[in-house]
Amino acid sequence: MSADNCTENSFLPLRNVLNSIQCIRDRVRDGEPNESDGAFNLSNFWDTLNQAVKAVSHEATKLSLAYSKPPLPSEQDGEKLAESILKSLFTLSTVYYWLPKSQGITLRQQVRDATVGVLEGVAQLVEIILSTPLQSMSQEQLISTGSVWSACDQFTQLPRDNKAAVLVALSAQSGVVKDAIEEIEQALSEAQDPFSDVLDDDQDGDEPRGNQDTYWSEKDRRVIGPCQGLMKASAACLRKLASAVKTNGDVSAAQNVAQLDDLADITKDISPGIDDLALCLYPPMDYSGVENNVSKVAALLEKVLGIIRCSHVCGESELTWVQFLDSAVSHNLQKAHDLIQQDS
């Protein structure tokens, strides 16, 4: 048998296992949980899931080392390695499916994303082994192996219940909104022409810039004021809601778990809305676009505040800031509308 045939036979099990891994990944990404009428032990789930993740990490390391230098594993040994990694991944996906929606959709989404991350990492490692000439472990294979370890390590950072999962989601939203606010504030604090550093400066020095569409007019800056007010109200809403969830959030009752999911679901639209609003504030400012985005953000915040008000995380002290933010949203919406309509 020629050397080429030996190499091909050694890699054949990996080519077959790659297709299987990709199928498992797709099922995890799109599949539904195995709902059970019996009691679900969340602590047992995490113990079993962590064991499954450690097994994947171990098998991925074995696989990478086996194909890191000559001689190649025999076809029989290659089949054993492929079966072992596939078995560990199948076990991981099976344990993931144990987690029912009743434990929280937000929690399940984060566990699903972490599971898909491991599956994609192993699939990439197998692809690199198949495509890299066998001499010594390539830098690419070393990095890919490390990526699998990193994906497995993510499981230690996952939230352990739906309350913690919702707090993770709210924190991510808060970060995006905070960045948008800071970018606008920085642009406003700079020179009158915020794009002077990226435009062609080959102009006659004595002539002012002719294209006024590259900087804000006085009216533009006035309009930005209430838009900033809405953005800050969004940031305050997310911050206050996170505090309320941390203090009052409950996962012992199915209704409360579902309410937490509703809060995570409705607030996930805040950061895209704020991004859209921030983008349309840059010159040349399209007032109709600004008014449209202001109205969308205001309507979303009013809806969010309404859901918070009716949820179990809203106690008497929370009601105060909910009402305050509701008034702030209405005030800034009206102010933006009035300023845009001025002199139009």
Side-chain angles (χ1 to χ4, degrees), residues 301-313:
L301 287 176
E302 287 169 354
K303 188 174 181 180
V304 169
L305 291 167
I307 291 175
I308 293 172
R309 185 185 282 112
C310 297
S311 74
H312 73 278
V313 304

PDB file of all heavy atoms in Angstrom, residues 301-313:
ATOM      1  N   LEU A 301     -39.257  52.054  25.106  1.00  0.00           N
ATOM      2  CA  LEU A 301     -39.029  52.293  26.533  1.00  0.00           C
ATOM      3  C   LEU A 301     -40.333  52.304  27.319  1.00  0.00           C
ATOM      4  O   LEU A 301     -40.400  51.779  28.440  1.00  0.00           O
ATOM      5  CB  LEU A 301     -38.279  53.614  26.741  1.00  0.00           C
ATOM      6  CG  LEU A 301     -36.795  53.610  26.366  1.00  0.00           C
ATOM      7  CD1 LEU A 301     -36.198  54.998  26.531  1.00  0.00           C
ATOM      8  CD2 LEU A 301     -36.028  52.602  27.212  1.00  0.00           C
ATOM      9  N   GLU A 302     -41.370  52.892  26.743  1.00  0.00           N
ATOM     10  CA  GLU A 302     -42.677  52.891  27.414  1.00  0.00           C
ATOM     11  C   GLU A 302     -43.193  51.459  27.581  1.00  0.00           C
ATOM     12  O   GLU A 302     -43.759  51.106  28.622  1.00  0.00           O
ATOM     13  CB  GLU A 302     -43.677  53.739  26.613  1.00  0.00           C
ATOM     14  CG  GLU A 302     -43.408  55.242  26.717  1.00  0.00           C
ATOM     15  CD  GLU A 302     -44.218  56.059  25.715  1.00  0.00           C
ATOM     16  OE1 GLU A 302     -44.904  55.433  24.855  1.00  0.00           O
ATOM     17  OE2 GLU A 302     -44.161  57.298  25.778  1.00  0.00           O
ATOM     18  N   LYS A 303     -42.966  50.634  26.570  1.00  0.00           N
ATOM     19  CA  LYS A 303     -43.387  49.229  26.651  1.00  0.00           C
ATOM     20  C   LYS A 303     -42.581  48.476  27.706  1.00  0.00           C
ATOM     21  O   LYS A 303     -43.129  47.692  28.498  1.00  0.00           O
ATOM     22  CB  LYS A 303     -43.221  48.569  25.280  1.00  0.00           C
ATOM     23  CG  LYS A 303     -43.794  47.162  25.190  1.00  0.00           C
ATOM     24  CD  LYS A 303     -43.708  46.639  23.766  1.00  0.00           C
ATOM     25  CE  LYS A 303     -44.290  45.235  23.652  1.00  0.00           C
ATOM     26  NZ  LYS A 303     -44.214  44.724  22.252  1.00  0.00           N
ATOM     27  N   VAL A 304     -41.264  48.717  27.715  1.00  0.00           N
ATOM     28  CA  VAL A 304     -40.395  48.075  28.707  1.00  0.00           C
ATOM     29  C   VAL A 304     -40.819  48.459  30.116  1.00  0.00           C
ATOM     30  O   VAL A 304     -40.949  47.605  31.009  1.00  0.00           O
ATOM     31  CB  VAL A 304     -38.918  48.471  28.468  1.00  0.00           C
ATOM     32  CG1 VAL A 304     -38.044  48.029  29.648  1.00  0.00           C
ATOM     33  CG2 VAL A 304     -38.395  47.855  27.176  1.00  0.00           C
ATOM     34  N   LEU A 305     -41.028  49.736  30.330  1.00  0.00           N
ATOM     35  CA  LEU A 305     -41.415  50.214  31.662  1.00  0.00           C
ATOM     36  C   LEU A 305     -42.764  49.637  32.086  1.00  0.00           C
ATOM     37  O   LEU A 305     -42.980  49.330  33.270  1.00  0.00           O
ATOM     38  CB  LEU A 305     -41.451  51.742  31.679  1.00  0.00           C
ATOM     39  CG  LEU A 305     -40.069  52.422  31.553  1.00  0.00           C
ATOM     40  CD1 LEU A 305     -40.222  53.914  31.256  1.00  0.00           C
ATOM     41  CD2 LEU A 305     -39.255  52.219  32.827  1.00  0.00           C
ATOM     42  N   GLY A 306     -43.664  49.469  31.123  1.00  0.00           N
ATOM     43  CA  GLY A 306     -44.967  48.866  31.433  1.00  0.00           C
ATOM     44  C   GLY A 306     -44.829  47.420  31.869  1.00  0.00           C
ATOM     45  O   GLY A 306     -45.495  46.968  32.816  1.00  0.00           O
ATOM     46  N   ILE A 307     -43.954  46.672  31.205  1.00  0.00           N
ATOM     47  CA  ILE A 307     -43.736  45.263  31.568  1.00  0.00           C
ATOM     48  C   ILE A 307     -43.044  45.167  32.922  1.00  0.00           C
ATOM     49  O   ILE A 307     -43.377  44.301  33.740  1.00  0.00           O
ATOM     50  CB  ILE A 307     -42.912  44.556  30.470  1.00  0.00           C
ATOM     51  CG1 ILE A 307     -43.764  44.420  29.201  1.00  0.00           C
ATOM     52  CG2 ILE A 307     -42.446  43.179  30.932  1.00  0.00           C
ATOM     53  CD1 ILE A 307     -43.037  43.841  28.014  1.00  0.00           C
ATOM     54  N   ILE A 308     -42.097  46.073  33.178  1.00  0.00           N
ATOM     55  CA  ILE A 308     -41.433  46.085  34.491  1.00  0.00           C
ATOM     56  C   ILE A 308     -42.458  46.339  35.588  1.00  0.00           C
ATOM     57  O   ILE A 308     -42.467  45.662  36.624  1.00  0.00           O
ATOM     58  CB  ILE A 308     -40.337  47.176  34.538  1.00  0.00           C
ATOM     59  CG1 ILE A 308     -39.202  46.824  33.583  1.00  0.00           C
ATOM     60  CG2 ILE A 308     -39.804  47.338  35.962  1.00  0.00           C
ATOM     61  CD1 ILE A 308     -38.168  47.927  33.422  1.00  0.00           C
ATOM     62  N   ARG A 309     -43.331  47.316  35.351  1.00  0.00           N
ATOM     63  CA  ARG A 309     -44.328  47.699  36.360  1.00  0.00           C
ATOM     64  C   ARG A 309     -45.224  46.525  36.748  1.00  0.00           C
ATOM     65  O   ARG A 309     -45.639  46.402  37.903  1.00  0.00           O
ATOM     66  CB  ARG A 309     -45.177  48.858  35.820  1.00  0.00           C
ATOM     67  CG  ARG A 309     -46.175  49.431  36.830  1.00  0.00           C
ATOM     68  CD  ARG A 309     -47.060  50.497  36.193  1.00  0.00           C
ATOM     69  NE  ARG A 309     -46.370  51.764  36.057  1.00  0.00           N
ATOM     70  CZ  ARG A 309     -46.008  52.316  34.909  1.00  0.00           C
ATOM     71  NH1 ARG A 309     -46.238  51.673  33.763  1.00  0.00           N
ATOM     72  NH2 ARG A 309     -45.401  53.486  34.875  1.00  0.00           N
ATOM     73  N   CYS A 310     -45.510  45.644  35.793  1.00  0.00           N
ATOM     74  CA  CYS A 310     -46.426  44.527  36.043  1.00  0.00           C
ATOM     75  C   CYS A 310     -45.702  43.252  36.493  1.00  0.00           C
ATOM     76  O   CYS A 310     -46.351  42.223  36.715  1.00  0.00           O
ATOM     77  CB  CYS A 310     -47.228  44.218  34.772  1.00  0.00           C
ATOM     78  SG  CYS A 310     -48.291  45.555  34.228  1.00  0.00           S
ATOM     79  N   SER A 311     -44.375  43.308  36.607  1.00  0.00           N
ATOM     80  CA  SER A 311     -43.621  42.100  36.938  1.00  0.00           C
ATOM     81  C   SER A 311     -43.339  42.003  38.436  1.00  0.00           C
ATOM     82  O   SER A 311     -43.470  42.983  39.176  1.00  0.00           O
ATOM     83  CB  SER A 311     -42.294  42.074  36.172  1.00  0.00           C
ATOM     84  OG  SER A 311     -41.381  43.001  36.734  1.00  0.00           O
ATOM     85  N   HIS A 312     -42.903  40.818  38.859  1.00  0.00           N
ATOM     86  CA  HIS A 312     -42.638  40.602  40.287  1.00  0.00           C
ATOM     87  C   HIS A 312     -41.379  41.319  40.768  1.00  0.00           C
ATOM     88  O   HIS A 312     -41.181  41.450  41.978  1.00  0.00           O
ATOM     89  CB  HIS A 312     -42.505  39.090  40.575  1.00  0.00           C
ATOM     90  CG  HIS A 312     -41.235  38.475  40.072  1.00  0.00           C
ATOM     91  ND1 HIS A 312     -41.068  38.078  38.760  1.00  0.00           N
ATOM     92  CD2 HIS A 312     -40.059  38.188  40.697  1.00  0.00           C
ATOM     93  CE1 HIS A 312     -39.851  37.559  38.607  1.00  0.00           C
ATOM     94  NE2 HIS A 312     -39.230  37.616  39.766  1.00  0.00           N
ATOM     95  N   VAL A 313     -40.532  41.812  39.839  1.00  0.00           N
ATOM     96  CA  VAL A 313     -39.323  42.508  40.285  1.00  0.00           C
ATOM     97  C   VAL A 313     -39.608  43.946  40.680  1.00  0.00           C
ATOM     98  O   VAL A 313     -38.732  44.628  41.226  1.00  0.00           O
ATOM     99  CB  VAL A 313     -38.216  42.482  39.193  1.00  0.00           C
ATOM    100  CG1 VAL A 313     -37.904  41.053  38.775  1.00  0.00           C
ATOM    101  CG2 VAL A 313     -38.584  43.332  37.987  1.00  0.00           C
TER     102      VAL A 313
END
